[in-house]
Every structure is written in structure tokens, then in C-alpha cells.
Amino acid sequence: MSTKYIFVTGGVTSSLGKGILIASLAKLLQARGYKVTIQKLDPYINVDPGTLNPYEHGECYVTDDGAETDLDLGHYERFLNKPTSQANNVTTGRIYQSVINKERRGDYLGKTVQIIPHITDEIKRNIKLLGNKGKYDFVLTEIGGTVGDMESLPYIEAVRQLKWELGKSAMVIHLTLVPFLKASGELKTKPTQHSVKALLENGVQPDILVLRTEHDLGEGIRKKVALFCNVDPDAVVQSIDVPTIYEVPLKMREEKLDYIVLKKFEMTMGKEPSLDAWNSFLTKHKIPEHEVVIGLIGKYVELPDAYKSITESFIHAGATNQCKVELKFIHSEEVNRRNAAEILAGLDGILVAPGFGHRGIKGKIEATKFARENNIPFLGICLGMQVAVIEFARNVLNMKGADSTEMNEVTKFPVIDLMEEQKGITNMGGTMRLGSFACEVKVDSKLFDAYQKDLIYERHRHRYEFNDKYLKDFESNGLKAVGTNPDTGLVEALQLDNHQWFVGVQYHPEYSSTVLSPSPLFVEFVKACIPKTKL
Ligand code: GLN
């Protein structure tokens, strides 16, 4: 069977949830026994989002193979429970870089290099790359941005060409918004009509329309949209607001989106999608037996998307523990020595978030000190672990001014220091310690309790590391290495003695947490946060 290509475009506004829609459809096709993968094409000129401030597009998601990617890839993995890779995220910057490299090599044999056909050919090559080896029955490609944006034009053109080339093996799903006008009490279809018109101007006729709405659409609206947009009435699907993104696959199932897709491709329906495990997760999520409040201390808390994978990991780990996790986002710049007790009062657990640079470090140190001294469950991730090391050095080991050389290059006690291989690096893009690395786990540790394995693999994104020179001082005073990299000896995880649960990890457990395989470390952390009297 030849690979089928499904493109998802968006119209009217951004943030309609193309990523969740495409992940939900892929989930349903996967549940019917098909092999699927999802790709995101981002129209910005950055080669990858690694150099972007999280305020721009939210979290930078890291894959096993060390690609720094768009946060939507996190959703793809969380829904499909399958790893993605560099090939699953392509940006305009990457496309142009590749075309320009070819031009410099002379590959174009003296031709004028142009958007059509050279840029569009490169886009098409990147889309087909995933389908090439027959590994997948479906390649689903999300086109970032909104139809009508100048930046997305080459992508829409590539979709037009591919639809032409692939014929019945390609399909376009267009996601739009049907706003509800309170004053007149009406749902309005005009923005959808205009958005489809914009697609048609670029030569692309959508096959299926998914209409995001706050209210049930009813037959009338569906028929009207079908008529104006040249789409079968049964291919107009509504996507109504739901309390959690994890309900969207069920809603799409009710709307028969998977059925419509398979019918249009003239494919066998396969077995009815089995979503038992998914449903049982949802039940546990919706009917919790416990409730905890965990403080997330970070400097991007105004924008929760900056911590997307962490937020979702708590949902997965919460469900496993049948526990509702209320996350309290606390701005690290607001916490100081005087107000820490007041701001952090009542928390069942404290998580110190990953990050870069000096801003907000003081507050993170105070929050960590508060958790250490008050026996409050603590998880430090990446910079969060490094902060735990700095705090311990300053306040327990009496190393005055101990710091990471990221914050203070000339500190007397560089307890966190630049990794050897990072010294001399001047290019910032894609040069951190990135992707999956092994970690040997000490038995008889909180880490082992969580993973139940002595060798684990987790993803990384950092330049600085625990400075081994000080390990003895730390260990003899109770902060012990419980995870190390078997090849380099690099400290991957630390645990504090005489504390109910205090763990810092240099890696990012949140990237590999999915609905069906929640992160063991988050599961244990949430468990530790549930007051013992309630267990
Ligand atoms: N800034 C730190 C480093 O580069 C931590 C990075 C992170 O938290 N992802 O090592």
C-alpha cells in the first residue's frame, strides 16, 4: 500500500489547535492498526526553535536524536506514544539553508535558484522523506501559521503540487473557527468561507473542514459551509471546546473523522479503534481521589506554554496516582529570603524549572532552600538541579559565593561548570548536549524506586554540568549522586539524605512522558507530594 499524505492547514486565527487535531486524528488511525507519523512545518526563518526565547513560541521540545523542535512535537509523542525525530520538524530556515548549500556546491548546474521550483521541491522532499521507506501508512503534516500569511505561501504551494502529483494519496484538512456572536446569538460562517477562498486562490481545495466552535453547529450550519466551500456535507466536522486536550480524540471519533478520512482514501476501515487504555487514563484524570498543589518556580510563568511538557507530565503522573495536580506558577523573580515562607506556604511539592541565564536565579535558590529545610518534596530539573547544588554549596557546605559559571564566571567555587566539550563553542544553534543519553541508576535510591531499572535513557539540553571536583564534599554532607552517565561519569541525578523526597536531575524527564507511558520520575514525585495521612 502506498503511503497516504494528510495535510492540515489552519485559517481565520492562529491557536485553534491544529497540533491537537492532527495528533487526535493520528491517534484514531493508529488505534485502527495503521502506522502513522506526524510532521510539523514551521514558516519561520530560524533553522530550529533552539535559539528562540520561550516567550516567542513556548517551550523548545527535544527529541531522542537531539533535535530542538516545536512544542507540537511534544503533543505528537504524548498522543501516539512513539518518538519523533529531526525529520518531524522542518522550518523555512532549514529549507533555505539546504537549498543555499546545494547552490554553493553547484548542484543546480547554473540555473537561477527560485522559490518555485527549488524551495517548493525542497519542502516536498522533506515531506516525502518520511513516507519514502514505506515505514508509515500515513504521514500527517501540519502546516504552521494561518492561511493568508505571506510566510506560509511556499508551503501551501508545495501542498498544491503534491495534491496534484499524488492524486488520491493526498488530502487536505482545513481547520477554521466559527465564532459565536453573543449580541445576535448567532454562529458565523463567513470567516470560514473567506479562509477557504484564500486557500482556493492558492489552488488548494480542502477535502475536509474541521470547524472549531464553542456551541454545537447543527445540520444547517454544516450544510451551509459545505455548499459554500465545495466540501461534502458529511466532511464538515465540528470541534467543540472540551475541558482537556486528551478528550479531543474521543470527540473526533464521535464526529467520525477517522472514518471520513479512510472512506475518502478508499481504504479498509480496519478494526474499530480501541481506546480502552486512553479512556481509563481519562477516567482517572477526571475522577481523582487525591489533590495536591505543586509550585512551579520559573521565570516564564506568564506563558504556561513555556513549560508545556512539564504541565502535561503532571497530568499523566497525576492520573497514574489518581491525583489532581494543581500547578501554582510562581515567578522566580518574586521570591526572596523575606517572603519565601509566605509565598510557598501550603505547597505539597516544589518544582524548580529548567532555564538559562541569571534572571530569577535568586528566587529559585530561595525556593530550593525552603523545600530542603522544610522537608517539602522537591524536584529540580536541569537548571533546577544546578540550583539545588548551588544552594547546598552556599548554605550547607559554607562555600560563600558558590555558583554556576553560567551566572558568575569568576566564582571561587564553580560547583556547576561548563562541560569540557562546550569550551570554545561560539555558535549557539544546536550545540548544547542534546538528546538521549544513558544514566546508570544507583539501587537503593529514589531514582531507582521510580524507574525500577539500573540503566535508563533520558533527554538532555544543557551546556553546564555538576563539577565532579566537589562530589566528595557534597556526598559526605548528604547530597548524593544517584545517577551518572556510564561513559563520561557526568552526574545526572542527585538526591538529598534525610529528606522525604528531594531529587535533582540534569536531564529532562518531561520530554518523554506520554499518556500511556507517564514519566516514572513525575509519578514518584506526585506520589511523594500526596500527604501521607491521605494515602
Ligand atoms: N542553563 C543550564 C545549562 O545550560 C541549564 C539548562 C536547562 O535548564 N535546560 O546547563
Side-chain angles (χ1 to χ4, degrees):
M1 187 184 81
S2 68
T3 304
K4 303 282 189 267
Y5 293 85
I6 301 174
F7 301 99
V8 174
T9 55
V12 183
T13 73
S14 57
S15 303
L16 288 182
K18 285 196 298 278
I20 303 298
L21 170 70
I22 203 165
S24 300
L25 171 59
K27 176 83 212 157
L28 294 175
L29 294 170
Q30 184 193 51
R32 282 186 182 272
Y34 288 110
K35 291 194 278 316
V36 298
T37 191
I38 317 174
Q39 178 186 46
K40 170 99 191 259
L41 306 182
D42 275 310
Y44 49 71
I45 296 173
N46 303 67
V47 171
D48 62 42
T51 52
L52 285 173
N53 187 314
Y55 287 125
E56 298 286 308
H57 298 276
E59 159 190 283
C60 170
Y61 183 76
V62 178
T63 56
D64 274 337
D65 65 346
E68 296 179 284
T69 70
D70 184 79
L71 59 72
D72 270 330
L73 269 79
H75 290 309
Y76 306 162
E77 290 203 14
R78 290 187 280 271
F79 275 57
L80 296 183
N81 204 29
K82 291 262 186 275
T84 53
S85 70
Q86 179 64 73
N88 296 81
N89 193 197
V90 178
T91 68
T92 296
R94 196 168 286 278
I95 297 288
Y96 271 78
Q97 193 177 51
S98 166
V99 168
I100 291 169
N101 287 345
K102 286 182 190 166
E103 185 273 338
R104 292 289 83 184
R105 282 203 308 264
D107 291 3
Y108 295 116
L109 305 174
K111 285 275 181 207
T112 308
V113 180
Q114 295 178 298
I115 291 183
I116 305 171
H118 303 100
I119 294 296
T120 46
D121 276 356
E122 185 62 20
I123 295 172
K124 289 194 291 180
R125 191 181 70 78
N126 274 280
I127 294 169
K128 289 203 267 186
L129 211 62
L130 281 171
N132 270 351
K133 291 185 190 122
K135 216 168 128 193
Y136 299 109
D137 302 313
F138 291 97
V139 173
L140 296 94
T141 301
E142 175 184 350
I143 314 289
T146 309
V147 166
D149 294 350
M150 190 183 277
E151 297 188 313
S152 335
L153 277 176
Y155 292 102
I156 303 288
E157 169 61 15
V159 169
R160 184 193 69 78
Q161 293 178 21
L162 275 176
K163 257 201 115 183
W164 183 247
E165 276 169 40
L166 297 165
K168 284 194 167 169
S169 292
M171 166 182 311
V172 173
I173 300 178
H174 189 52
L175 173 66
T176 74
L177 174 72
V178 175
F180 177 73
L181 288 195
K182 228 185 185 168
S184 60
E186 281 176 309
L187 288 158
K188 290 297 190 186
T189 65
K190 196 71 80 189
T192 297
Q193 296 175 39
H194 280 297
S195 159
V196 171
K197 243 181 212 139
L199 259 185
L200 286 168
E201 274 167 21
N202 295 313
V204 174
Q205 167 67 55
D207 299 279
I208 297 174
L209 291 176
V210 179
L211 312 181
R212 182 79 191 267
T213 174
E214 288 173 22
H215 301 277
D216 200 80
L217 290 182
E219 266 317 291
I221 296 237
R222 291 183 199 232
K223 279 203 176 124
K224 184 175 172 186
V225 169
L227 179 70
F228 279 101
C229 302
N230 330 311
V231 171
D232 295 333
D234 66 0
V236 180
V237 163
Q238 81 173 12
S239 172
I240 203 151
D241 290 1
V242 277
T244 155
I245 54 169
Y246 297 112
E247 270 183 40
V248 178
L250 306 182
K251 286 285 165 207
M252 289 304 110
R253 177 77 198 103
E254 276 171 27
E255 289 285 312
K256 299 195 171 69
L257 181 59
D258 52 335
Y259 175 88
I260 299 166
V261 165
L262 291 170
K263 205 170 134 208
K264 280 203 178 292
F265 277 134
E266 295 169 1
M267 289 170 77
T268 48
M269 288 302 148
K271 54 179 191 220
E272 272 303 292
S274 155
L275 294 167
D276 293 350
W278 193 269
N279 280 322
S280 109
F281 153 78
L282 269 177
T283 312
K284 283 194 264 172
H285 171 63
K286 287 202 281 195
I287 318 172
E289 284 176 3
H290 313 282
E291 189 169 344
V292 293
V293 184
I294 295 178
L296 187 153
I297 323 292
K299 64 173 170 178
Y300 302 112
V301 289
E302 314 88 312
L303 184 82
D305 264 6
Y307 301 111
K308 195 80 207 161
S309 292
I310 293 178
T311 318
E312 299 308 310
S313 296
F314 275 122
I315 293 176
H316 311 151
T320 308
N321 284 294
Q322 282 203 264
C323 177
K324 177 170 184 251
V325 179
E326 190 198 316
L327 269 189
K328 197 167 160 196
F329 289 87
I330 298 171
H331 204 302
S332 48
E333 281 181 303
E334 277 165 20
V335 184
N336 58 44
R337 187 153 298 177
R338 272 169 288 111
N339 65 16
E342 191 191 326
I343 292 187
L344 306 170
L347 294 178
D348 299 304
I350 290 179
L351 181 140
V352 174
F356 294 84
H358 197 267
R359 188 166 71 90
I361 280 292
K362 275 193 187 149
K364 285 187 171 176
I365 292 177
E366 287 308 324
T368 307
K369 180 169 183 270
F370 184 81
R372 180 176 59 76
E373 292 181 340
N374 293 285
N375 202 23
I376 297 168
F378 169 90
L379 177 59
I381 299 181
C382 206
L383 181 64
M385 179 198 97
Q386 299 177 353
V387 162
V389 168
I390 298 167
E391 191 278 321
F392 197 81
R394 289 185 189 175
N395 299 328
V396 179
L397 305 180
N398 289 318
M399 296 177 177
K400 208 163 170 267
D403 219 327
S404 161
T405 50
E406 181 180 7
M407 318 305 159
N408 177 6
E409 272 183 63
V410 294
T411 168
K412 204 169 148 203
F413 302 105
V415 287
I416 302 290
D417 202 4
L418 203 56
M419 285 182 280
E420 210 39 55
E421 67 266 27
Q422 288 289 327
K423 294 181 180 158
I425 284 180
T426 50
N427 233 340
M428 288 297 127
T431 54
M432 281 187 249
R433 180 173 182 246
L434 289 166
S436 178
F437 290 94
C439 168
E440 242 161 32
V441 179
K442 264 218 175 95
V443 277
D444 257 346
S445 67
K446 298 268 190 321
L447 208 60
F448 192 88
D449 293 344
Y451 291 90
Q452 298 290 314
K453 276 185 206 158
D454 51 17
L455 188 68
I456 58 168
Y457 291 84
E458 290 281 14
R459 302 178 199 178
H460 296 69
R461 183 172 188 245
H462 63 121
R463 293 189 199 280
Y464 294 82
E465 61 168 320
F466 178 81
N467 188 344
D468 263 359
K469 200 170 99 186
Y470 298 101
L471 186 58
K472 268 206 187 109
D473 295 320
F474 279 86
E475 295 212 314
S476 55
N477 285 279
L479 190 60
K480 294 188 173 142
V482 288
T484 41
N485 179 278
D487 308 313
T488 57
L490 201 77
V491 171
E492 296 282 5
L494 290 158
Q495 173 189 323
L496 184 65
D497 281 348
N498 302 322
H499 189 288
Q500 61 161 322
W501 210 94
F502 188 105
V503 175
V505 286
Q506 186 58 76
Y507 57 78
H508 291 261
E510 71 273 23
Y511 290 142
S512 53
S513 186
T514 72
V515 166
L516 299 186
S517 313
S519 159
L521 197 61
F522 274 85
V523 171
E524 279 295 294
F525 178 47
V526 170
K527 196 163 130 198
C529 294
I530 302 172
K532 299 296 158 282
T533 46
K534 295 195 188 153
L535 274 179

